Amino acid sequence: MTITRRDLMKASIAAGTALAIPSVLRAQSGLAGPRTVRMVMGADLSVFDPIFSTAGITAYHGLAIYDTLFSLDSKFMPQPQMVGKWGVSEDKKTYTFELRDGLSWHDATPVTAADCVASIRRWSQVNSGGKLLMERIRDISKKDDKTFTIELKEPLGLLIDLLASVSTPVLFIMRAKDADRPATEQVTANIGSGPYKFNHDLAKPGASFAYDRNEKYAPRGEASDGYAGGKVVNVDRIIWDNIGDEQTAFAALQAGEVDFVEGPPVDLYPVIESDPNLALQVLDKSGYDMCLRMNFLQKPFDNVKARQAMLHLIDQEALLRVTAPDPKYGRPVTSIFGNTTPYSNDENTGWFKKGGNPEMARQLFKEAGYAGEKVVILQPANIAWIRDAAQLLAATLRKIGVNAELAPSDWGGLVKRRANKGPVESGGWSIFITNDSDYLQGDPTSAIFLNASGEKAWFGWPKNDEYEALRAKWPDVGTLEERKDLARKMQGIWWDFVGDVRLGQFAQPIARSKALTGIIEMPQLVAMWNMQKA
């Protein structure tokens, strides 16, 4: 009889050992009070600047302490947030924005148009949609303390959509003195104008971070709707507890020491569903696309044959059994435009085969001239699905003769290391696994996975000029059918040069106490306003 990890987990929980785990929180604070929400996020916060980093946890931090010019409502339509009034000239080339009343920084100074101009310029250095915007801009300038304009060389109908995009890095508005620096230089002040203040005194890097209600924040008058409307804070403090061990995090949730666990391990779904005090909740209904990013700058994946080998090697069903064994939470994805967007298509997907094609992968590595070079796979120990997927990937590569080596760390360590463009001998990397919202794959101007501009692209730095020429046409295509046709052409090229490899799509529920309600259900980011705790 084979005893699986799932069997062991069920047995241990049935025996009550989950609750017997020594508490990491009880000695410090006891149960979370009614005006405090304690959350265990899926990664440790190690980078605080949401423009410097595209990490999801950094964007969550940004959403708490900063504000945005526009936000998406529950129908994914952009709505004014910091902007009070805006208009566009008859020739569609000049946009004028006026900030709403009541905006101030956490240091009590007023938010000004100059802050917005500096923030847009910095964001546009690293966000794909922002780069497109800057290519079309003639000038962006402050008119008075509350008003600024964007003047375009030619009309850009997507302008407001780009400003409201939740593709990381998100356009969070920072003080001009923070934003007046390159996007490659981190901002460390953590002073925004958003609904929460970062509590520097309670910050315990590696252990916990605290966010206090910004009593001077003036929410919009509209009802909360997605990320738009009034950002009303109903609790006094949010604490993020960094609990790397999944079973300990679950025990803390059961004991009432934490209220929320992001990305609980799939083994625990049935247990959570059977607990009368706990609930699973899917915040992003469109789900996430798992993606394998390869380093285009270093061997062996600087060779297209090696990248094609990975495309044939991957067995999506096997990976989904690790990451989303319940079919209601996972399925394969073969389109770079995801499964749920209008542009999902089957162009050039003949490589997809149930079970993968290891022999084809072995042959393609041989044609690539692979000579036993070390293939380093970054493996975050504190994110269960990536950790397990990386382990399965390493074993699969070794079976076809590839010298695969896991490089374990926490997610923060992975985020730092993936920026290294050098060879593995100098601390570089070959592969890492990540995910992005399926919803975002419908916008190739902003989706970080869909940029193939080389060293200006996202980590992995894929490059293909023919594909990029087609992507550049996207903002100017007028109809849905024309965009669908363009999407097929783009995908046909992508799967030839293999800009990345998709590993499947999954919806990842959070686990929460039933006393915690009002959590906003939107893709990509976790918002901390609107929550209530009984």
Side-chain angles (χ1 to χ4, degrees):
M1 176 181 177
T2 300
I3 300 177
T4 66
R5 177 171 175 263
R6 180 179 300 214
D7 295 327
L8 289 172
M9 182 68 74
K10 287 181 178 178
S12 66
I13 292 172
T17 56
L19 289 176
I21 297 172
S23 171
V24 295
L25 302 174
R26 188 178 295 117
Q28 300 175 15
S29 60
L31 302 182
R35 300 294 297 176
T36 298
V37 174
R38 304 194 77 119
M39 308 175 76
V40 180
M41 295 304 192
D44 185 25
L45 179 64
S46 61
V47 179
F48 297 86
D49 183 346
I51 304 301
F52 177 85
S53 174
T54 60
I57 190 68
T58 303
Y60 299 176
H61 165 80
L63 198 64
I65 71 169
Y66 296 108
D67 215 337
T68 56
L69 296 173
F70 291 84
S71 298
L72 295 180
D73 65 19
S74 58
K75 296 181 174 62
F76 309 128
M77 298 299 295
Q79 303 295 341
Q81 181 54 40
M82 297 175 75
V83 170
K85 295 186 294 185
W86 68 280
V88 60
S89 62
E90 287 188 13
D91 64 2
K92 309 298 183 185
K93 292 183 181 181
T94 301
Y95 286 74
T96 302
F97 304 93
E98 181 181 312
L99 296 175
R100 65 184 175 92
D101 294 333
L103 301 178
S104 64
W105 299 108
H106 297 158
D107 62 7
T109 58
V111 177
T112 69
D115 300 315
C116 301
V117 171
S119 296
I120 293 171
R121 289 190 180 280
R122 184 168 185 259
W123 161 80
S124 67
Q125 296 173 31
V126 287
N127 180 277
S128 298
K131 292 177 182 178
L132 166 66
L133 178 60
M134 292 308 291
E135 291 172 1
R136 303 291 184 91
I137 280 181
R138 185 181 305 280
D139 186 35
I140 173 172
S141 59
K142 164 189 168 182
K143 294 303 179 187
D144 58 45
D145 282 347
K146 292 183 65 175
T147 310
F148 67 97
T149 61
I150 294 178
E151 297 179 46
L152 301 170
K153 301 172 187 175
E154 54 186 305
L156 179 61
L158 290 176
L159 187 144
I160 302 300
D161 299 83
L162 296 177
L163 298 180
S165 173
V166 293
S167 177
T168 57
V170 175
L171 175 53
F172 293 116
I173 300 303
M174 298 180 172
R175 299 179 301 177
K177 65 180 181 180
D178 293 325
D180 281 338
R181 69 185 72 195
T184 53
E185 180 183 328
Q186 290 192 55
V187 171
T188 58
N190 291 315
I191 294 177
S193 66
Y196 284 93
K197 291 182 177 181
F198 183 74
N199 191 320
H200 291 83
D201 293 335
L202 294 184
K204 300 175 183 177
S208 65
F209 295 103
Y211 299 83
D212 294 335
R213 180 169 63 91
N214 178 9
E215 295 179 352
K216 295 183 179 179
Y217 182 76
R220 294 186 68 91
E222 303 94 337
S224 178
D225 183 16
Y227 297 128
K231 296 180 178 180
V232 177
V233 176
N234 301 307
V235 297
D236 293 332
R237 177 170 290 169
I238 301 283
I239 297 175
W240 289 1
D241 289 302
N242 181 28
I243 306 176
D245 181 79
E246 303 155 1
Q247 199 169 348
T248 304
F250 175 65
L253 181 66
Q254 280 191 314
E257 296 173 358
V258 300
D259 307 290
F260 174 109
V261 174
E262 184 183 26
V266 294
D267 290 326
L268 294 179
Y269 288 2
V271 182
I272 295 167
E273 289 176 320
S274 66
D275 191 311
N277 299 312
L278 304 180
L280 289 174
Q281 182 177 354
V282 177
L283 302 185
D284 183 356
K285 305 300 186 185
S286 64
Y288 297 88
D289 293 348
M290 298 183 288
C291 180
L292 184 153
R293 300 289 290 189
M294 299 165 287
N295 190 338
F296 270 56
L297 305 181
Q298 302 294 337
K299 289 182 178 298
F301 299 118
D302 58 343
N303 189 298
V304 66
K305 293 286 188 180
R307 300 195 300 271
Q308 290 172 348
M310 297 302 295
L311 196 61
H312 288 276
L313 178 67
I314 294 301
D315 178 355
Q316 288 199 27
E317 285 87 352
L319 280 160
L320 285 166
R321 285 194 293 272
V322 170
T323 57
D326 189 331
K328 71 182 179 183
Y329 290 121
R331 57 175 170 155
V333 58
T334 58
S335 176
I336 65 172
F337 294 93
N339 280 331
T340 64
T341 78
Y343 311 110
S344 180
N345 68 84
D346 60 359
E347 186 72 20
N348 197 13
T349 55
W351 46 268
F352 180 78
K353 181 179 179 182
K354 187 177 178 65
N357 191 339
E359 288 309 310
M360 174 65 78
R362 189 195 305 270
Q363 178 61 32
L364 285 166
F365 266 115
K366 182 178 179 180
E367 293 176 15
Y370 176 70
E373 296 93 346
K374 186 183 294 184
V375 171
V376 172
I377 305 169
L378 304 184
Q379 183 192 36
N382 59 335
I383 301 182
W385 76 266
I386 302 181
R387 178 199 64 210
D388 296 345
Q391 188 167 342
L392 176 60
L393 175 63
T396 305
L397 281 165
R398 290 168 188 150
K399 285 180 181 178
I400 63 168
V402 174
N403 180 18
E405 178 180 293
L406 292 168
S409 68
D410 60 12
W411 179 254
L414 184 152
V415 167
K416 292 177 181 177
R417 185 167 178 176
R418 71 184 181 185
N420 188 333
K421 295 180 178 179
V424 296
E425 295 79 10
S426 301
W429 57 276
S430 309
I431 291 171
F432 75 91
I433 295 171
T434 187
N435 66 283
D436 198 14
S437 170
D438 189 88
Y439 151 77
L440 289 179
Q441 307 318 303
D443 178 15
T445 60
S446 297
I448 54 177
F449 288 173
L450 300 184
N451 186 323
S453 59
E455 295 200 39
K456 294 180 180 179
W458 199 59
F459 303 107
W461 310 286
K463 180 175 175 57
N464 186 276
D465 293 340
E466 184 182 5
Y467 169 87
E468 280 296 293
L470 291 179
R471 190 171 74 94
K473 296 179 180 180
W474 190 272
D476 300 312
V477 173
T479 69
L480 176 64
E481 289 306 314
E482 288 174 323
R483 284 194 295 273
K484 286 182 176 181
D485 182 62
L486 182 58
R488 295 188 70 90
K489 293 176 182 177
M490 291 169 65
Q491 182 168 299
I493 296 171
W494 185 275
W495 289 138
D496 281 341
F497 78 92
V498 194
D500 61 22
V501 177
R502 304 302 160 99
L503 307 178
Q505 179 198 18
F506 70 98
Q508 186 177 40
I510 57 95
R512 62 171 174 85
S513 163
K514 287 184 178 177
L516 183 66
T517 59
I519 304 173
I520 291 170
E521 296 183 348
M522 285 288 283
Q524 188 78 345
L525 308 175
V526 175
M528 295 193 291
W529 63 86
N530 203 58
M531 291 189 296
Q532 299 184 57
K533 186 177 176 185

PDB file of all heavy atoms in Angstrom, residues 87-96 136-139 149-156 159:
ATOM      1  N   GLY A  87     -11.525  65.248 -18.656  1.00  0.00           N
ATOM      2  CA  GLY A  87     -12.116  65.454 -19.971  1.00  0.00           C
ATOM      3  C   GLY A  87     -11.072  65.301 -21.056  1.00  0.00           C
ATOM      4  O   GLY A  87      -9.871  65.247 -20.788  1.00  0.00           O
ATOM      5  N   VAL A  88     -11.541  65.222 -22.300  1.00  0.00           N
ATOM      6  CA  VAL A  88     -10.652  65.049 -23.438  1.00  0.00           C
ATOM      7  C   VAL A  88     -11.049  66.044 -24.526  1.00  0.00           C
ATOM      8  O   VAL A  88     -12.238  66.361 -24.697  1.00  0.00           O
ATOM      9  CB  VAL A  88     -10.697  63.592 -23.962  1.00  0.00           C
ATOM     10  CG1 VAL A  88     -12.099  63.205 -24.396  1.00  0.00           C
ATOM     11  CG2 VAL A  88      -9.686  63.365 -25.075  1.00  0.00           C
ATOM     12  N   SER A  89     -10.052  66.554 -25.229  1.00  0.00           N
ATOM     13  CA  SER A  89     -10.301  67.548 -26.278  1.00  0.00           C
ATOM     14  C   SER A  89     -11.006  66.920 -27.469  1.00  0.00           C
ATOM     15  O   SER A  89     -11.060  65.692 -27.604  1.00  0.00           O
ATOM     16  CB  SER A  89      -8.976  68.167 -26.719  1.00  0.00           C
ATOM     17  OG  SER A  89      -8.125  67.173 -27.265  1.00  0.00           O
ATOM     18  N   GLU A  90     -11.528  67.759 -28.361  1.00  0.00           N
ATOM     19  CA  GLU A  90     -12.263  67.258 -29.524  1.00  0.00           C
ATOM     20  C   GLU A  90     -11.397  66.397 -30.430  1.00  0.00           C
ATOM     21  O   GLU A  90     -11.886  65.449 -31.044  1.00  0.00           O
ATOM     22  CB  GLU A  90     -12.833  68.439 -30.320  1.00  0.00           C
ATOM     23  CG  GLU A  90     -14.009  69.122 -29.639  1.00  0.00           C
ATOM     24  CD  GLU A  90     -14.653  70.154 -30.555  1.00  0.00           C
ATOM     25  OE1 GLU A  90     -14.351  70.149 -31.775  1.00  0.00           O
ATOM     26  OE2 GLU A  90     -15.479  70.952 -30.070  1.00  0.00           O
ATOM     27  N   ASP A  91     -10.106  66.718 -30.520  1.00  0.00           N
ATOM     28  CA  ASP A  91      -9.234  65.924 -31.387  1.00  0.00           C
ATOM     29  C   ASP A  91      -8.702  64.678 -30.680  1.00  0.00           C
ATOM     30  O   ASP A  91      -7.899  63.932 -31.252  1.00  0.00           O
ATOM     31  CB  ASP A  91      -8.077  66.773 -31.921  1.00  0.00           C
ATOM     32  CG  ASP A  91      -7.139  67.267 -30.825  1.00  0.00           C
ATOM     33  OD1 ASP A  91      -7.348  66.931 -29.636  1.00  0.00           O
ATOM     34  OD2 ASP A  91      -6.184  68.012 -31.161  1.00  0.00           O
ATOM     35  N   LYS A  92      -9.147  64.439 -29.455  1.00  0.00           N
ATOM     36  CA  LYS A  92      -8.789  63.237 -28.678  1.00  0.00           C
ATOM     37  C   LYS A  92      -7.299  63.159 -28.363  1.00  0.00           C
ATOM     38  O   LYS A  92      -6.784  62.079 -28.077  1.00  0.00           O
ATOM     39  CB  LYS A  92      -9.209  61.959 -29.431  1.00  0.00           C
ATOM     40  CG  LYS A  92     -10.651  61.927 -29.902  1.00  0.00           C
ATOM     41  CD  LYS A  92     -11.639  61.981 -28.752  1.00  0.00           C
ATOM     42  CE  LYS A  92     -13.065  61.863 -29.241  1.00  0.00           C
ATOM     43  NZ  LYS A  92     -14.053  62.027 -28.155  1.00  0.00           N
ATOM     44  N   LYS A  93      -6.636  64.307 -28.358  1.00  0.00           N
ATOM     45  CA  LYS A  93      -5.194  64.289 -28.112  1.00  0.00           C
ATOM     46  C   LYS A  93      -4.791  64.886 -26.768  1.00  0.00           C
ATOM     47  O   LYS A  93      -3.654  64.685 -26.331  1.00  0.00           O
ATOM     48  CB  LYS A  93      -4.454  65.032 -29.231  1.00  0.00           C
ATOM     49  CG  LYS A  93      -4.511  64.351 -30.585  1.00  0.00           C
ATOM     50  CD  LYS A  93      -3.690  65.130 -31.600  1.00  0.00           C
ATOM     51  CE  LYS A  93      -3.736  64.496 -32.984  1.00  0.00           C
ATOM     52  NZ  LYS A  93      -2.912  65.261 -33.968  1.00  0.00           N
ATOM     53  N   THR A  94      -5.678  65.607 -26.117  1.00  0.00           N
ATOM     54  CA  THR A  94      -5.333  66.241 -24.844  1.00  0.00           C
ATOM     55  C   THR A  94      -6.338  65.834 -23.767  1.00  0.00           C
ATOM     56  O   THR A  94      -7.539  66.089 -23.906  1.00  0.00           O
ATOM     57  CB  THR A  94      -5.302  67.775 -24.961  1.00  0.00           C
ATOM     58  OG1 THR A  94      -4.343  68.153 -25.948  1.00  0.00           O
ATOM     59  CG2 THR A  94      -4.907  68.400 -23.622  1.00  0.00           C
ATOM     60  N   TYR A  95      -5.830  65.208 -22.715  1.00  0.00           N
ATOM     61  CA  TYR A  95      -6.655  64.793 -21.584  1.00  0.00           C
ATOM     62  C   TYR A  95      -6.325  65.698 -20.394  1.00  0.00           C
ATOM     63  O   TYR A  95      -5.147  65.936 -20.102  1.00  0.00           O
ATOM     64  CB  TYR A  95      -6.367  63.347 -21.204  1.00  0.00           C
ATOM     65  CG  TYR A  95      -6.923  62.323 -22.163  1.00  0.00           C
ATOM     66  CD1 TYR A  95      -6.324  62.111 -23.407  1.00  0.00           C
ATOM     67  CD2 TYR A  95      -8.031  61.546 -21.830  1.00  0.00           C
ATOM     68  CE1 TYR A  95      -6.823  61.162 -24.291  1.00  0.00           C
ATOM     69  CE2 TYR A  95      -8.532  60.597 -22.700  1.00  0.00           C
ATOM     70  CZ  TYR A  95      -7.931  60.412 -23.928  1.00  0.00           C
ATOM     71  OH  TYR A  95      -8.430  59.481 -24.793  1.00  0.00           O
ATOM     72  N   THR A  96      -7.339  66.178 -19.721  1.00  0.00           N
ATOM     73  CA  THR A  96      -7.162  67.031 -18.548  1.00  0.00           C
ATOM     74  C   THR A  96      -7.762  66.338 -17.324  1.00  0.00           C
ATOM     75  O   THR A  96      -8.909  65.869 -17.377  1.00  0.00           O
ATOM     76  CB  THR A  96      -7.834  68.400 -18.746  1.00  0.00           C
ATOM     77  OG1 THR A  96      -7.292  69.034 -19.910  1.00  0.00           O
ATOM     78  CG2 THR A  96      -7.600  69.304 -17.545  1.00  0.00           C
ATOM     79  N   ARG A 136       3.440  57.534 -27.104  1.00  0.00           N
ATOM     80  CA  ARG A 136       2.410  58.356 -27.746  1.00  0.00           C
ATOM     81  C   ARG A 136       2.330  59.762 -27.145  1.00  0.00           C
ATOM     82  O   ARG A 136       1.638  60.618 -27.695  1.00  0.00           O
ATOM     83  CB  ARG A 136       1.047  57.680 -27.602  1.00  0.00           C
ATOM     84  CG  ARG A 136       0.956  56.268 -28.173  1.00  0.00           C
ATOM     85  CD  ARG A 136       1.046  56.256 -29.681  1.00  0.00           C
ATOM     86  NE  ARG A 136       0.868  54.918 -30.212  1.00  0.00           N
ATOM     87  CZ  ARG A 136      -0.310  54.401 -30.567  1.00  0.00           C
ATOM     88  NH1 ARG A 136      -1.408  55.128 -30.458  1.00  0.00           N
ATOM     89  NH2 ARG A 136      -0.395  53.173 -31.038  1.00  0.00           N
ATOM     90  N   ILE A 137       2.996  60.003 -26.021  1.00  0.00           N
ATOM     91  CA  ILE A 137       2.854  61.281 -25.323  1.00  0.00           C
ATOM     92  C   ILE A 137       3.744  62.365 -25.934  1.00  0.00           C
ATOM     93  O   ILE A 137       4.927  62.137 -26.197  1.00  0.00           O
ATOM     94  CB  ILE A 137       3.178  61.108 -23.821  1.00  0.00           C
ATOM     95  CG1 ILE A 137       1.975  60.503 -23.098  1.00  0.00           C
ATOM     96  CG2 ILE A 137       3.545  62.437 -23.165  1.00  0.00           C
ATOM     97  CD1 ILE A 137       2.182  60.308 -21.620  1.00  0.00           C
ATOM     98  N   ARG A 138       3.150  63.513 -26.138  1.00  0.00           N
ATOM     99  CA  ARG A 138       3.915  64.697 -26.517  1.00  0.00           C
ATOM    100  C   ARG A 138       4.405  65.419 -25.261  1.00  0.00           C
ATOM    101  O   ARG A 138       5.539  65.864 -25.177  1.00  0.00           O
ATOM    102  CB  ARG A 138       3.061  65.647 -27.355  1.00  0.00           C
ATOM    103  CG  ARG A 138       3.822  66.855 -27.899  1.00  0.00           C
ATOM    104  CD  ARG A 138       2.888  67.768 -28.697  1.00  0.00           C
ATOM    105  NE  ARG A 138       2.195  67.061 -29.762  1.00  0.00           N
ATOM    106  CZ  ARG A 138       2.736  66.773 -30.947  1.00  0.00           C
ATOM    107  NH1 ARG A 138       3.983  67.140 -31.215  1.00  0.00           N
ATOM    108  NH2 ARG A 138       2.046  66.128 -31.862  1.00  0.00           N
ATOM    109  N   ASP A 139       3.507  65.480 -24.250  1.00  0.00           N
ATOM    110  CA  ASP A 139       3.898  66.147 -23.005  1.00  0.00           C
ATOM    111  C   ASP A 139       2.932  65.729 -21.904  1.00  0.00           C
ATOM    112  O   ASP A 139       1.762  65.434 -22.156  1.00  0.00           O
ATOM    113  CB  ASP A 139       3.864  67.672 -23.166  1.00  0.00           C
ATOM    114  CG  ASP A 139       4.410  68.401 -21.941  1.00  0.00           C
ATOM    115  OD1 ASP A 139       5.362  67.869 -21.324  1.00  0.00           O
ATOM    116  OD2 ASP A 139       3.890  69.477 -21.595  1.00  0.00           O
ATOM    117  N   THR A 149      -2.247  67.636 -17.287  1.00  0.00           N
ATOM    118  CA  THR A 149      -2.708  67.235 -18.619  1.00  0.00           C
ATOM    119  C   THR A 149      -1.757  66.209 -19.227  1.00  0.00           C
ATOM    120  O   THR A 149      -0.563  66.178 -18.912  1.00  0.00           O
ATOM    121  CB  THR A 149      -2.812  68.432 -19.575  1.00  0.00           C
ATOM    122  OG1 THR A 149      -1.516  69.012 -19.719  1.00  0.00           O
ATOM    123  CG2 THR A 149      -3.794  69.460 -19.063  1.00  0.00           C
ATOM    124  N   ILE A 150      -2.314  65.395 -20.071  1.00  0.00           N
ATOM    125  CA  ILE A 150      -1.533  64.478 -20.912  1.00  0.00           C
ATOM    126  C   ILE A 150      -1.845  64.838 -22.356  1.00  0.00           C
ATOM    127  O   ILE A 150      -2.998  64.729 -22.790  1.00  0.00           O
ATOM    128  CB  ILE A 150      -1.884  63.009 -20.636  1.00  0.00           C
ATOM    129  CG1 ILE A 150      -1.477  62.614 -19.217  1.00  0.00           C
ATOM    130  CG2 ILE A 150      -1.189  62.094 -21.652  1.00  0.00           C
ATOM    131  CD1 ILE A 150      -1.832  61.169 -18.852  1.00  0.00           C
ATOM    132  N   GLU A 151      -0.826  65.286 -23.077  1.00  0.00           N
ATOM    133  CA  GLU A 151      -0.979  65.640 -24.490  1.00  0.00           C
ATOM    134  C   GLU A 151      -0.354  64.542 -25.343  1.00  0.00           C
ATOM    135  O   GLU A 151       0.801  64.163 -25.138  1.00  0.00           O
ATOM    136  CB  GLU A 151      -0.289  66.977 -24.772  1.00  0.00           C
ATOM    137  CG  GLU A 151      -0.884  68.151 -24.015  1.00  0.00           C
ATOM    138  CD  GLU A 151      -0.148  69.445 -24.315  1.00  0.00           C
ATOM    139  OE1 GLU A 151       0.114  69.716 -25.518  1.00  0.00           O
ATOM    140  OE2 GLU A 151       0.189  70.165 -23.364  1.00  0.00           O
ATOM    141  N   LEU A 152      -1.124  64.024 -26.283  1.00  0.00           N
ATOM    142  CA  LEU A 152      -0.699  62.914 -27.130  1.00  0.00           C
ATOM    143  C   LEU A 152      -0.292  63.385 -28.519  1.00  0.00           C
ATOM    144  O   LEU A 152      -0.802  64.397 -29.020  1.00  0.00           O
ATOM    145  CB  LEU A 152      -1.834  61.900 -27.260  1.00  0.00           C
ATOM    146  CG  LEU A 152      -2.359  61.283 -25.960  1.00  0.00           C
ATOM    147  CD1 LEU A 152      -3.629  60.492 -26.240  1.00  0.00           C
ATOM    148  CD2 LEU A 152      -1.299  60.393 -25.319  1.00  0.00           C
ATOM    149  N   LYS A 153       0.597  62.627 -29.145  1.00  0.00           N
ATOM    150  CA  LYS A 153       0.961  62.894 -30.533  1.00  0.00           C
ATOM    151  C   LYS A 153      -0.164  62.453 -31.461  1.00  0.00           C
ATOM    152  O   LYS A 153      -0.369  63.036 -32.526  1.00  0.00           O
ATOM    153  CB  LYS A 153       2.237  62.139 -30.891  1.00  0.00           C
ATOM    154  CG  LYS A 153       3.448  62.485 -30.042  1.00  0.00           C
ATOM    155  CD  LYS A 153       4.594  61.534 -30.349  1.00  0.00           C
ATOM    156  CE  LYS A 153       5.762  61.725 -29.416  1.00  0.00           C
ATOM    157  NZ  LYS A 153       6.822  60.719 -29.627  1.00  0.00           N
ATOM    158  N   GLU A 154      -0.864  61.416 -31.055  1.00  0.00           N
ATOM    159  CA  GLU A 154      -1.977  60.875 -31.818  1.00  0.00           C
ATOM    160  C   GLU A 154      -2.967  60.267 -30.839  1.00  0.00           C
ATOM    161  O   GLU A 154      -2.599  59.906 -29.719  1.00  0.00           O
ATOM    162  CB  GLU A 154      -1.485  59.830 -32.821  1.00  0.00           C
ATOM    163  CG  GLU A 154      -0.665  58.712 -32.189  1.00  0.00           C
ATOM    164  CD  GLU A 154      -0.066  57.785 -33.220  1.00  0.00           C
ATOM    165  OE1 GLU A 154      -0.837  57.252 -34.030  1.00  0.00           O
ATOM    166  OE2 GLU A 154       1.158  57.581 -33.192  1.00  0.00           O
ATOM    167  N   PRO A 155      -4.233  60.132 -31.196  1.00  0.00           N
ATOM    168  CA  PRO A 155      -5.227  59.599 -30.257  1.00  0.00           C
ATOM    169  C   PRO A 155      -4.862  58.197 -29.763  1.00  0.00           C
ATOM    170  O   PRO A 155      -4.283  57.387 -30.496  1.00  0.00           O
ATOM    171  CB  PRO A 155      -6.512  59.579 -31.094  1.00  0.00           C
ATOM    172  CG  PRO A 155      -6.312  60.640 -32.123  1.00  0.00           C
ATOM    173  CD  PRO A 155      -4.843  60.581 -32.465  1.00  0.00           C
ATOM    174  N   LEU A 156      -5.209  57.932 -28.525  1.00  0.00           N
ATOM    175  CA  LEU A 156      -4.986  56.628 -27.917  1.00  0.00           C
ATOM    176  C   LEU A 156      -6.218  56.297 -27.082  1.00  0.00           C
ATOM    177  O   LEU A 156      -6.341  56.714 -25.925  1.00  0.00           O
ATOM    178  CB  LEU A 156      -3.723  56.643 -27.043  1.00  0.00           C
ATOM    179  CG  LEU A 156      -3.371  55.339 -26.318  1.00  0.00           C
ATOM    180  CD1 LEU A 156      -3.131  54.206 -27.320  1.00  0.00           C
ATOM    181  CD2 LEU A 156      -2.154  55.539 -25.428  1.00  0.00           C
ATOM    182  N   LEU A 159      -6.155  55.012 -23.312  1.00  0.00           N
ATOM    183  CA  LEU A 159      -5.407  55.750 -22.301  1.00  0.00           C
ATOM    184  C   LEU A 159      -5.962  55.525 -20.897  1.00  0.00           C
ATOM    185  O   LEU A 159      -5.211  55.202 -19.972  1.00  0.00           O
ATOM    186  CB  LEU A 159      -5.385  57.238 -22.633  1.00  0.00           C
ATOM    187  CG  LEU A 159      -4.480  58.088 -21.733  1.00  0.00           C
ATOM    188  CD1 LEU A 159      -3.808  59.199 -22.535  1.00  0.00           C
ATOM    189  CD2 LEU A 159      -5.252  58.700 -20.576  1.00  0.00           C
TER     190      LEU A 159
END
